[in-house]
Amino acid sequence: VPFSTLPRHVPGPPRPKPNATMSAEKYEEVNAYFRQRMEESRKTWATRGKDARIAAAEARKAGPQTWRQLTGVPLMAHEIKHVGNRPFAWGFA
């Protein structure tokens, strides 16, 4: 078959007309849902990569210390306040 005899455009399946199967409220609800999901995806994508990990580590350093970072008197005060260590801290066990 020579190339010149082939049709230039092969039509695909017919496209549905806008709002042919759903009401305007449903259409807006679905669009709002997909917009919300896209925002969530963008937040997730922003937390990935080397730069995001560095920023997250800096934010953790700037925040409050956990007991694993405590040393000296602050660690001893933390351990005394812990319920399970009270008898030992006051010499009752």
Side-chain angles (χ1 to χ4, degrees), residues 22-40:
M22 66 176 77
S23 65
E25 301 97 22
K26 185 70 173 173
Y27 181 78
E28 287 302 318
E29 179 185 343
V30 170
N31 274 344
Y33 170 76
F34 282 119
R35 274 190 234 106
Q36 176 190 2
R37 292 286 298 176
M38 184 58 73
E39 289 173 12
E40 292 172 3

Side-chain angles (χ1 to χ4, degrees), residues 46 49-61:
K50 184 177 180 179
D51 295 335
R53 286 195 301 275
I54 291 170
E58 292 298 324
R60 278 194 300 275
K61 286 181 186 176

